[in-house]
Amino acid sequence: RIVGLFEQTNLIPSGGAGIGNPSEHIALAISILFVTGIYLIREIFLKQIRIQKLLQRDEELLKLKESRMPIGYIIWDKDFRVVKWNPAAEKIFGFTFEEARGKHPYEIIVPPSAQPQVDEVWRRLLLGDISAHSVNENTTKDGQIIICEWNNTPLKQKDGTVVGVMAMVQDITKRRQTELALEDRENRLHALLRTIPDLVWLKNKDGIYIHCNSAFERFFGAKEAEIVGKTDYDFVSKEL
């Protein structure tokens, strides 16, 4: 492209004829270097613009994804202070990003009762432990106690140095309440069945015992743990 440019501007004679005067050779060489330099600078500049546009586009896409994520997305620096805080995190805890930025979690969302547990999780994360997740109590801006599930990822440099932590958080308060209610209901039902004087047992479709009460234990002469997982033929002969 450069040679064609010089041919168009008569800096290189058509037909490939040489230039006999040394001063003309020097002038031509200087002209070629100058124009080549301008061309290379232009290409470098345009490439940088293209890279900047790509980076800007990627950054905008990342921000869009963060803002549209249905779960809380928080970036902590190595001092455990908020760097990023998406709208889902705002919805969970009630603090805007501007209110949370630069804050330590103990200042805004972690009650004293949960701090020993969080201290241990943070210690493991700074060591690079990718399995340092937790379920713990948190507080909201209006003072409510909620239960949150935290999935954490240490952010590392190439040499392995941890420079921060990415956290994904969900409010599981309602789910935990439902689980506890079901567990309590199951415990009460189990206690009721064990006190019934009649024989009570439960089998699956294959005739395997999966539950029995105290009266049934006495009848079989075995504890529930010894009965569950077995069939009638483990206790009596098939011929009977």
Side-chain angles (χ1 to χ4, degrees), residues 74-83 85 93 95 97-111 114-116 118-120 122-123 126 138-139 150:
I74 301 172
I75 298 291
W76 310 97
D77 66 17
K78 61 183 180 62
D79 296 319
F80 210 178
R81 295 190 176 277
V82 174
V83 176
W85 181 278
F93 300 111
F95 294 95
F97 174 54
E98 292 303 321
E99 292 173 318
R101 178 160 45 188
K103 296 292 182 63
H104 192 283
Y106 294 177
E107 298 178 64
I108 51 176
I109 63 171
V110 178
Q115 289 176 13
V118 175
D119 281 341
E120 175 60 18
W122 186 253
R123 183 191 67 80
L126 291 181
N138 288 103
T139 52
W150 294 84

Side-chain angles (χ1 to χ4, degrees), residues 41-230:
I41 291 173
R42 175 180 174 275
E43 289 298 309
I44 293 172
F45 179 71
L46 292 176
K47 185 176 181 180
Q48 289 179 336
I49 290 177
R50 288 194 294 269
I51 292 173
Q52 289 175 354
K53 286 183 178 180
L54 289 174
L55 291 174
Q56 184 178 1
R57 185 193 66 181
D58 291 344
E59 185 176 355
E60 290 173 351
L61 287 174
L62 180 59
K63 287 181 178 179
L64 179 62
K65 290 178 181 179
E66 292 173 359
S67 66
R68 299 295 297 276
M69 290 175 67
I71 61 178
Y73 171 80
I74 301 172
I75 298 291
W76 310 97
D77 66 17
K78 61 183 180 62
D79 296 319
F80 210 178
R81 295 190 176 277
V82 174
V83 176
K84 287 190 177 183
W85 181 278
N86 76 340
E90 294 182 7
K91 184 177 181 180
I92 292 171
F93 300 111
F95 294 95
T96 66
F97 174 54
E98 292 303 321
E99 292 173 318
R101 178 160 45 188
K103 296 292 182 63
H104 192 283
Y106 294 177
E107 298 178 64
I108 51 176
I109 63 171
V110 178
S113 60
Q115 289 176 13
Q117 178 185 355
V118 175
D119 281 341
E120 175 60 18
V121 172
W122 186 253
R123 183 191 67 80
R124 291 168 55 194
L125 288 167
L126 291 181
L127 293 175
D129 187 348
I130 61 174
S131 65
H133 310 307
S134 70
V135 174
N136 55 262
E137 288 185 341
N138 288 103
T139 52
T140 63
K141 185 177 180 179
D142 60 6
Q144 293 185 57
I145 296 293
I146 60 176
I147 305 297
C148 290
E149 182 177 60
W150 294 84
N151 289 280
N152 308 302
T153 303
L155 302 176
K156 303 178 182 179
Q157 294 179 329
K158 291 183 179 180
D159 62 0
T161 302
V162 175
V163 295
V165 171
M166 178 180 70
M168 313 291 279
V169 56
Q170 297 184 77
D171 180 358
I172 62 167
T173 305
K174 291 183 179 180
R175 188 179 82 190
R176 179 55 61 90
Q177 290 172 344
T178 300
E179 291 172 349
L180 291 175
L182 289 173
E183 183 179 344
D184 180 65
R185 181 179 177 182
E186 183 177 343
N187 290 336
R188 287 190 285 111
L189 178 60
H190 187 71
L192 176 63
L193 291 175
R194 292 195 66 81
T195 58
I196 292 177
D198 296 325
L199 300 179
V200 178
W201 71 93
L202 184 63
K203 296 180 180 180
N204 66 14
K205 61 182 180 63
D206 298 316
I208 297 174
Y209 287 103
I210 58 177
H211 176 68
C212 69
N213 71 345
S214 297
F216 196 84
E217 288 179 330
R218 292 191 295 272
F219 175 77
F220 259 57
K223 295 295 184 181
E224 182 182 19
E226 300 171 319
I227 298 173
V228 170
K230 298 178 181 179

